[in-house]
Amino acid sequence: MTENNTPGADGGDAVVSAFNAVGAEYIFCSSGSEWAPVWESLARHHRDGAPCPQYLDLTHETVAVGMATGYGLVKRRPQGVLLHAAPGLLQGSMAVHGALLAGVPMVVTSSESATYGDGPGKDPGGQWYRNLSIVGGPHGVAQPFTKWSNEAASVHTLPTMITRAAELAWRAPAGPAYLNIPLEILLEEWDGREAKPIVQPGSTHSSPEEVDSVAQMIREAVNPVIVTETAGREAGGFEALVAFAEAWNIPVVEPDSAVCGNFPRTHALHAGSDIGPWMDEADLILLVNCRAPFYPPSRRPAKAKIVVIDEVPQRPHVVYQVLFAEKYLEGNVANTLRQLTKRAKDLDEAAVAARRAAQEERHAAEQTAIAGAEAKAAEAQGAEGIDPVLVAATLRRLLHGQDAIVVDETITHSRVVKRHVQTSDPDSYFYVQGGLGQGIAVALGVKLAAKERPVVLTIGDGAFAYNPVIQSYDAAKAYDLPLLIVVFNNRVYKSMNLNHRRFYPEGAAAETGEWLGTDLHRLPRLAQFAEPFGMHAETVDAPDALAPALERALKAVAEGTTAVVDVLVTR
């Protein structure tokens, strides 16, 4: 469509128009000098009451990208992210890579100069000539950690380039797309040609014949198992997996590599996080949205046939991926699971009863083990702090019935969080992907998408130190996004220390006690960073004080204030 736009319309208006057409509810911006045209366009839209995405002014690139990631985890549609030139893109690249791994669609943009002041029109500024430009352009930098990376070379194609980026980002496997928009293009006069609004991608389905053959494999299996990492990331995937597992009475394993809640951890068919016991016992392994089920990759099951159920089984961004598949069911995963559920007929009732009884026994043993671990943790009276199992169990009890969402950026304690917090609803658990340092921002984005639900970030002290804490707290306060942040603080980079000990069990460090790269005792009390922002802050080091502190923190969050509870844990 071509129309005459208001006088003075330029590339900034083209960007805002395009993100409107994309259906982006938000533009997450870490400011750069190239974005004056977009800011001016937004000011005009606000002045004139014209519709436009809500703009968030954020003070760090990781916060901007991380919030877009958290928002996309819940809403599952692309938003806009504005970074600054190549340096801003580099600063935000770790979080962009995390969005790629998490499968979150977004359109990330930044800029460069094309004329360096030697062309007609407005002067872009000498900073581009001296400091900001990079050989090959920022789109070359972005290519390895985005799904698609390109340059908008004309204001006339700019809106549809943003549309294309959004459509590519949204389609499976979803992920971030990058667009370099030179400053001169943003300043160029725009004729008003708008991008066509985009709609939700269509779905592909496995054929009935393909589904029938897999249903027959399941029917003939004596000891099948489902292994999933990201079924819950698909719209309706969580519910479809529950129905499928129940219809066929198949246990479900969520390995340590699971990135979200895929199946109720309290369900009798939940078989924990260890695929190990199934490697020799299972005769059929169903990999449902599972990128990397076996480690090392050559660790092939002894006798099981393997069926992969995934819209894009071979992920292009995964460097090395081994699945050992006998059969693929490609297409929309939730639909495939629903089709398989309908085919749960003519079952061998004796075989089903046997595996149901075996799984009930395993589940009961796991629940007994969980209760035993929690009782032991509650009785522990260590002088060094609180058992992390008690922290997770206390969180579970306090969050019960609140429809909370847990975002996890722990490493040493991630298994403890999954096992003892025990989330059981769709979109109630997300594990932060990629490099550490994104957790607070991702949790803020989740809260932005689910303002009515309590959002809890569980985070290690090492991961906390990697986060842009000040900028994240600023965003939480500026945009009224209260979180409960619970720090599992063992005063050490435990994961790094464990690897050192594993690689060199009798080395010089073991002999002398000189463990480098791991000590965090010198950090100040982490909760204190929240105090200048008027947030609720507590440090807890005694078991009896834990529950009251978390109750006060949750009350503060319910009243609209972010709360940080720094828990000194024993290990």
Side-chain angles (χ1 to χ4, degrees):
M1 179 180 71
T2 302
E3 63 180 33
N4 292 325
N5 211 311
T6 55
D10 57 19
D13 295 289
V15 169
V16 173
S17 169
F19 277 122
N20 252 343
V22 165
E25 292 91 0
Y26 289 92
I27 293 175
F28 301 85
C29 180
S30 178
S31 298
S33 55
E34 66 264 51
W35 297 120
V38 170
W39 297 333
E40 181 64 18
S41 176
L42 288 168
R44 283 198 293 266
H45 279 73
H46 297 157
R47 180 195 64 193
D48 300 338
C52 61
Q54 185 172 337
Y55 173 87
L56 299 185
D57 214 347
L58 305 164
T59 54
H60 196 282
E61 291 83 356
T62 298
V63 178
V65 180
M67 286 185 66
T69 298
Y71 191 84
L73 286 170
V74 177
K75 293 297 187 179
R76 298 180 173 87
R77 63 175 300 137
Q79 306 299 309
V81 178
L82 311 185
L83 305 179
H84 177 42
L89 175 63
L90 289 167
Q91 182 77 3
S93 61
M94 186 260 294
V96 178
H97 180 246
L100 180 69
L101 297 178
V104 174
M106 64 180 68
V107 178
V108 180
T109 63
S110 72
S111 197
E112 65 179 341
S113 175
T115 67
Y116 303 104
D118 279 341
K122 296 183 176 70
D123 179 7
Q127 72 273 21
W128 297 93
Y129 182 51
R130 293 188 296 268
N131 296 323
L132 295 180
S133 294
I134 192 166
V135 174
H139 49 293
V141 173
Q143 187 173 2
F145 53 83
T146 57
K147 185 179 175 183
W148 177 84
S149 179
N150 212 333
E151 176 187 14
S154 166
V155 73
H156 305 298
T157 59
L158 174 56
T160 44
M161 286 289 276
I162 291 176
T163 297
R164 173 163 167 71
E167 290 186 325
L168 283 165
W170 206 357
R171 277 157 176 79
Y178 173 79
L179 194 61
N180 167 26
I181 311 174
L183 178 54
E184 289 83 351
I185 301 299
L186 289 168
L187 292 167
E188 190 174 342
E189 184 178 346
W190 177 52
D191 63 11
R193 281 182 287 185
E194 295 181 345
K196 180 183 180 296
I198 66 171
V199 296
Q200 187 168 342
S203 62
T204 57
H205 294 169
S206 296
S207 70
E209 292 79 13
E210 292 171 315
V211 177
D212 283 339
S213 68
V214 171
Q216 186 60 30
M217 292 174 71
I218 302 173
R219 201 171 284 116
E220 294 170 356
V222 175
N223 196 19
V225 65
I226 298 164
V227 184
T228 183
E229 292 176 334
T230 63
R233 281 287 297 116
E234 310 294 332
F238 187 101
E239 298 88 341
L241 182 59
V242 171
F244 169 59
E246 289 179 343
W248 292 90
N249 273 282
I250 304 176
V252 177
V253 173
E254 288 185 286
D256 290 333
S257 53
V259 306
C260 61
N262 304 289
F263 196 82
R265 295 194 72 90
T266 53
H267 197 290
L269 286 173
H270 197 287
S273 60
D274 185 8
I275 192 175
W278 301 92
M279 297 297 285
D280 295 325
E281 299 173 9
D283 56 357
L284 178 65
I285 296 177
L286 300 156
L287 301 180
V288 180
N289 267 27
C290 198
R291 308 158 299 167
F294 313 118
Y295 189 82
S298 59
R299 185 191 183 198
R300 186 166 191 155
K303 60 183 178 181
K305 295 180 179 179
I306 298 172
V307 175
V308 173
I309 301 172
D310 200 320
E311 191 161 8
V312 184
Q314 296 293 340
R315 307 293 172 90
H317 64 269
V318 176
V319 175
Y320 184 54
Q321 188 180 15
V322 181
L323 298 176
F324 298 121
E326 261 84 24
K327 188 175 286 290
Y328 289 102
L329 284 183
E330 300 184 43
N332 181 270
V333 169
N335 179 75
T336 300
L337 294 175
R338 286 191 286 266
Q339 294 306 311
L340 286 169
T341 299
K342 292 177 182 178
R343 289 162 169 78
K345 301 172 183 177
D346 304 321
L347 308 184
D348 182 336
E349 294 301 332
V352 169
R355 70 171 176 255
R356 183 192 303 124
Q359 174 54 28
E360 287 174 352
E361 184 177 340
R362 280 189 295 265
H363 183 73
E366 170 67 0
Q367 295 307 304
T368 299
I370 288 172
E374 293 179 1
K376 181 179 178 181
E379 293 169 359
Q381 297 294 328
E384 293 293 320
I386 303 169
D387 192 303
V389 168
L390 181 61
V391 183
T394 304
L395 274 174
R396 182 188 70 240
R397 177 173 61 81
L398 295 177
L399 295 176
H400 180 71
Q402 293 199 36
D403 193 27
I405 303 174
V406 176
V407 178
D408 187 21
E409 197 180 30
T410 62
I411 299 294
T412 303
H413 302 107
S414 61
R415 294 179 184 178
V416 169
V417 170
K418 289 177 182 176
R419 191 182 191 209
H420 294 278
V421 175
Q422 293 190 334
T423 54
S424 58
D425 298 310
D427 291 339
S428 60
Y429 173 85
F430 298 105
Y431 189 76
V432 177
Q433 294 297 285
L436 295 174
Q438 310 170 60
I440 306 177
V442 172
L444 288 170
V446 168
K447 182 64 177 179
L448 184 67
K451 291 185 177 180
E452 73 288 353
R453 299 176 66 181
V455 176
V456 180
L457 172 67
T458 53
I459 187 169
D461 52 323
F464 184 91
Y466 282 129
N467 273 256
V469 174
I470 293 172
Q471 298 91 332
S472 298
Y473 287 173
D474 170 65
K477 188 165 186 180
Y479 296 107
D480 192 21
L481 301 171
L483 305 174
L484 170 57
I485 300 173
V486 180
V487 184
F488 285 66
N489 188 345
N490 57 10
R491 284 82 75 203
V492 66
Y493 282 123
K494 190 71 172 182
S495 177
M496 303 176 194
N497 184 251
L498 289 173
N499 268 344
H500 192 160
R501 293 173 184 271
R502 181 164 63 92
F503 296 149
Y504 302 98
E506 298 178 0
E511 180 183 346
T512 65
E514 184 183 7
W515 301 106
L516 301 176
T518 64
D519 185 21
L520 294 176
H521 280 86
R522 66 179 182 264
L523 293 180
R525 292 278 69 88
L526 301 182
Q528 294 176 353
F529 292 96
E531 292 174 359
F533 293 90
M535 297 173 174
H536 182 93
E538 296 196 40
T539 300
V540 186
D541 62 1
D544 291 347
L546 175 64
L550 290 175
E551 288 171 349
R552 289 189 294 270
L554 282 168
K555 182 174 184 293
V557 171
E559 293 171 351
T561 301
T562 289
V564 183
V565 181
D566 181 17
V567 185
L568 306 188
V569 294
T570 54
R571 51 190 169 90

